[in-house]
Each structure stands twice: as structure tokens, then as C-alpha cells.
Amino acid sequence: MIHCYQLNGYNIVLDVYSGSVHVVDDLAYDVISMYEGHSADEIVAAMLEKYSGQSEVTEAEIREVLESVEDLKTKGKLFAPDAYEHLAFDFKERNTVIKALCLHVAHTCNLTCEYCFASQGKYQGERALMSFEVGKQALDFLIAHSGSRRNLEVDFFGGEPLMNWDVVKRLVAYGREQEKLHNKKFRFTLTTNGMLIDDDVIEFANKEMHNVVLSLDGRKEVHDRLRKTASGKGSYDIIVPKFQKLVESRGGKGYYVRGTFTHNNVEFTKDLLHMADLGFTELSMEPVVCGPDEPYALTEEDKPILFEQYELLAKEMIRRKKAGNGFTFYHYMIDLKAGPCVYKRISGCGSGTEYLAVTPWGELFPCHQFVGDPKYSMGDVWQGVTNTALRDEFKQCNAYARPGCRDCWARMYCSGGCAANAYHATGSIKGVYEYGCDLFRKRIECAIMMEIANAGLEPAHKE
């Protein structure tokens, strides 16, 4: 399987199963595009006709290109066979250990964001705060079920976790005590809307949080339209100075500013660049996931605009990097030389198997987007995972288990996509959220192109 596309003047050929990326001239691009399903003579004839006005394109040159393609094929760098399919369904037999928890320390929030999948932090249930005892048991559960894995991850999540800040601090202290006893290392993350950030939060987060995720949707008018306080006022002016102070004091430690774009701001590149101009260099911007009848839902008419936005963003990021004021966009982070292992390429994030969400009452769910849905309750932090049939279903949730992924060139990059998005779009965790897939494919195309441009390769055409 190969994927050929043209972007920013580059002719790009991706060999899906080897992961090889080839940047080629026009003739090689056209030859490779015809290579499967056509004889050498048919390709030569087609190329001579197409390039009839270019005297330098001769039969000898075309056959030389064909030989180069055949050589790359022999070396496994073009038209490589699928070496992964026979591995995919072995994963259901794996003895999976748990490596990460999303601790819902607060099922309540001090904002009333209209697009919130968690119903303003309540998750279709009652408002609640996690007790220290439940959180402590969750950490004990993680340690007990982590096997020989040393590095463990815990995300303090909500709602708004800063509304239960004392418990967060106590749980971090408890985790640090347990590290020494069990030869484990906790990496804590805090996800916050920023409203309650103060000097104490900043000092503690800089000391203890491996990463901090800060929610900001971009320009003031965009952010304030949907992210409002209980009194109906926008939160932009409150949180931006707090975010800037926290990031400035992080001293290079991990953080990223995460936004959501909707039908209201399909030109989301303006919002990302605004955030970069505020001094934030680690950025993410996710498409809203909601019902199609919501006024802010993305539409089919939005899609070509979004494709254009991703391309504009990639080109601007290349320009800014050359100018010395670059920034990172989460969805363009890609490693073409090493990348994730085969297991991660196929199975993805590990929701429902290696990664679980914990409610304030200690109930376990596959991830934060399933919380509150009784069909996806997996057990609790005292008894562990008791719904083993559901866990086994998630073990098989991979790029090869979804029929809709069979012919997709991007499946080795998305691992079949988000199970929660698939479920909400189709009613099945093995379904395909087609709109999200289209956006993902465009992002991967842009990310690969950026790697090529940043490596200093010259495009075949100037745009």
C-alpha cells in the first residue's frame, strides 16, 4: 500500500507498511502512481504521451526510473507487504498491565462551556469531589496492576480538578511515598481551565507535575463565545495572564495549551497563531465532537476549509521555525525515523486495557469519554476490572479490527482512531468516525510534508 500526494510543491510518496517516505520529481511520481496494475511498456507509453513536450524525458529515462522503483521494492521500501496483520489479533491474548489512570477528582466545574462533553463536569450525573481515600485506593490499584512497568501516569482531571486542589496535593504526596516502596515512578499531569490558578498552584505544579494541560480556544472573541463563567461572562481575560505566568515559570517543563475549534471558528489557524503570539509554544487544537444538530457542530461544508487551514498552519510553522520563533503543534508531531513500536502502531492509546478513568466514587471506565455510561462500567478500584468481557473487547479495538480501516493508508499512524469518537459517531467502538478520519489524514499529510521541508529538501515546484 502506498499513498501519493502533492503538497507545498513536494511530490510525496509514502510506503505505508515500511514507513518509508520518498520525495520525487514529477516523472517518478507519475511512474509510481501507475506502477501497480500496469506493465512496464504501458507505463512507458503513458509517460511518453504525457511528457511529449519535454524532450529530456526519453524512454531510456523512464525505464531507468522503473528500475529504481523495482530496486526500492526489492529492498522493502516501496510496495512493502503488510507484516503486521498477523500480529493484530494476538493482542487479545496479551496479559495487559495498567500503566495510566485519569483521576476524575472533581465532577464539577466553575465554567459552563457549551460544547462540554462532560455536561459542565457532571458527566450526566451528580456533582461530586473525589475523597482522598478513593484517590489513594486508585493509586494503590494502579501500582498493584502495573506489573513490572516502572513509569506510571496519572492525570488529574475533571470537571475542574483545581476545585479539589487539597486532595490533588495529598494524592501526589502519597504517590511520592509509594514510589520508594514499590520501585515505581509517577508522572502526574494536571488538566485545568485556569480559573483557580494562583501562586500555590503554580509552585506546586512546577515542582510535581510532569505536564500541565491548559484549556484556551484562541482569540478572545472565540474563546469567550463558548467558555463562560456561571454568570455568563467570558473567561479569557481571567485565565490568559495566569497561563502566561505559569508557563513562564515552568522552566522548560512540559505543558501544552489545548483548544477546541467548532463551526464558529473554522479558520482555527488564526486562533493557534494568536496563542503562539501570546508566548505559548506547545499547542493543540482539537475538532469539537458533538451531535450534528448543535449550532457549533462541524459540517461537511466546513471540511474543505479545515483542510486548507491545516495546510496554512503547516506552511506558517515552517516559516516561523526558519525565522527562529517556531512552535509545536501536537497533531504535527511525528517521528519518521523511529516512531512508535508495532504494538502501539496497531493498538493505539490503550483505553480500556492499559489506561482507565476513575470517577469520584472509584468506578472504572475505559476512558474519560465513556464516564457516566453504565454500559461501559468496568469495575472499581477495590475489586479491579470485573467486566473482563468489555476489557477483551477493547483489547481487540485496533486498526485491523475495524472493517472501515482496511483500505486506509493512515491506519498505521492513527491505530484505528479514537474508540470513544467511533462509539459516539456509530454506536460501536469498532466503528469509524469518518469526519474525524478525514481530518486526521490531512494532518498526517501536513506533518510528513513539514518533516521534509524542515530537512531542507527542495520542492519540485514553487507554490
Side-chain angles (χ1 to χ4, degrees), residues 243-401:
F243 287 171
Q244 289 174 316
K245 184 175 182 180
L246 186 150
V247 167
E248 186 179 356
S249 66
R250 285 291 282 168
K253 290 186 177 180
Y255 80 93
Y256 68 90
V257 179
R258 182 203 182 281
T260 298
F261 67 79
T262 72
H263 178 68
N264 299 328
N265 64 314
V266 288
E267 294 183 331
F268 66 86
T269 294
K270 295 179 180 178
D271 295 293
L272 280 165
L273 297 181
H274 173 76
M275 293 193 287
D277 292 340
L278 288 173
F280 304 123
T281 59
E282 310 299 316
L283 304 177
S284 172
M285 184 70 79
E286 305 273 358
V288 68
V289 178
C290 62
D293 297 330
E294 297 290 352
Y296 44 80
L298 296 169
T299 67
E300 281 297 320
E301 292 72 25
D302 291 335
K303 198 180 292 182
I305 302 172
L306 297 176
F307 288 172
E308 181 182 34
Q309 288 295 301
Y310 281 122
E311 293 185 10
L312 287 172
L313 173 63
K315 293 172 185 176
E316 177 62 14
M317 288 180 66
I318 294 168
R319 189 194 68 78
R320 290 197 179 203
K321 183 172 184 177
K322 289 180 179 177
N325 59 338
F327 60 90
T328 299
F329 178 53
Y330 179 80
H331 288 300
Y332 287 170
M333 295 172 66
I334 188 169
D335 185 350
L336 296 178
K337 293 182 179 179
C341 65
V342 171
Y343 171 69
K344 293 302 295 180
R345 280 185 179 274
I346 296 174
S347 64
C349 71
S351 62
T353 56
E354 299 173 332
Y355 165 78
L356 299 171
V358 185
T359 70
W361 305 277
E363 191 174 5
L364 298 171
F365 286 88
C367 84
H368 60 284
Q369 292 200 63
F370 289 99
V371 166
D373 187 335
K375 297 190 297 297
Y376 285 90
S377 177
M378 299 190 71
D380 61 48
V381 294
W382 294 274
Q383 300 178 72
V385 175
T386 53
N387 191 344
T388 55
L390 183 59
R391 181 179 62 192
D392 289 343
E393 185 178 355
F394 272 86
K395 280 186 180 182
Q396 298 180 66
C397 190
N398 61 61
Y400 287 87

Side-chain angles (χ1 to χ4, degrees), residues 105 130-132 135 156 164-172:
V105 293
M130 180 180 285
S131 68
F132 171 71
F156 294 108
N164 199 11
W165 184 232
D166 182 62
V167 166
V168 169
K169 291 197 291 185
R170 291 178 66 192
L171 289 174
V172 169

Side-chain angles (χ1 to χ4, degrees), residues 44-300:
V44 169
M47 295 301 104
L48 287 173
E49 180 179 353
K50 179 170 183 178
Y51 291 93
S52 59
Q54 300 181 31
S55 59
E56 69 274 14
V57 178
T58 63
E59 179 175 347
E61 183 181 0
I62 298 167
R63 292 194 182 277
E64 186 176 333
V65 172
L66 282 166
E67 289 177 7
S68 297
V69 172
E70 184 63 30
D71 182 56
L72 288 168
K73 182 178 179 180
T74 301
K75 292 176 178 177
K77 295 181 179 181
L78 260 183
F79 305 104
D82 184 353
Y84 305 116
E85 186 169 11
H86 72 285
L87 300 173
F89 294 99
D90 292 342
F91 292 142
K92 66 179 180 292
E93 306 299 336
R94 294 181 77 251
N95 182 23
T96 306
V97 299
I98 298 172
K99 66 178 184 180
L101 293 180
C102 181
L103 288 191
H104 290 227
V105 293
H107 271 197
T108 187
C109 192
N110 45 14
L111 292 183
T112 58
C113 306
E114 289 184 35
Y115 55 55
C116 181
F117 71 90
S119 301
Q120 287 73 51
K122 294 181 293 183
Y123 290 85
Q124 292 77 44
E126 299 295 324
R127 296 188 183 277
L129 299 178
M130 180 180 285
S131 68
F132 171 71
E133 289 70 25
V134 170
K136 174 177 174 293
Q137 180 61 35
L139 296 184
D140 290 341
F141 163 79
L142 176 57
I143 291 169
H145 291 83
S146 61
S148 61
R149 185 178 180 91
R150 184 168 187 268
N151 292 318
L152 307 178
E153 299 173 15
V154 175
D155 183 10
F156 294 108
F157 202 73
E160 175 47 50
L162 294 186
M163 296 181 75
N164 199 11
W165 184 232
D166 182 62
V167 166
V168 169
K169 291 197 291 185
R170 291 178 66 192
L171 289 174
V172 169
Y174 178 74
R176 296 296 182 224
E177 292 173 359
Q178 298 306 300
E179 287 178 328
K180 305 163 188 173
L181 300 176
H182 300 280
N183 191 30
K184 303 291 183 179
K185 177 64 178 176
F186 281 106
R187 294 178 179 175
F188 294 109
T189 296
L190 175 69
T191 300
T192 177
N193 63 33
M195 292 291 289
L196 296 178
I197 288 177
D198 58 18
D199 289 343
D200 175 58
V201 171
I202 291 173
E203 181 180 0
F204 189 85
N206 288 343
K207 179 183 177 184
E208 298 288 2
M209 297 298 166
H210 180 74
N211 203 2
V212 180
V213 183
L214 309 169
S215 297
L216 175 66
D217 282 355
R219 294 163 291 173
K220 175 177 168 62
E221 63 272 19
V222 169
H223 179 93
D224 284 348
R225 183 168 186 169
L226 296 178
R227 297 186 66 84
K228 299 176 181 177
T229 65
S231 63
K233 295 181 179 179
S235 56
Y236 179 97
D237 288 336
I238 299 172
I239 66 171
V240 167
K242 294 173 182 281
F243 287 171
Q244 289 174 316
K245 184 175 182 180
L246 186 150
V247 167
E248 186 179 356
S249 66
R250 285 291 282 168
K253 290 186 177 180
Y255 80 93
Y256 68 90
V257 179
R258 182 203 182 281
T260 298
F261 67 79
T262 72
H263 178 68
N264 299 328
N265 64 314
V266 288
E267 294 183 331
F268 66 86
T269 294
K270 295 179 180 178
D271 295 293
L272 280 165
L273 297 181
H274 173 76
M275 293 193 287
D277 292 340
L278 288 173
F280 304 123
T281 59
E282 310 299 316
L283 304 177
S284 172
M285 184 70 79
E286 305 273 358
V288 68
V289 178
C290 62
D293 297 330
E294 297 290 352
Y296 44 80
L298 296 169
T299 67
E300 281 297 320

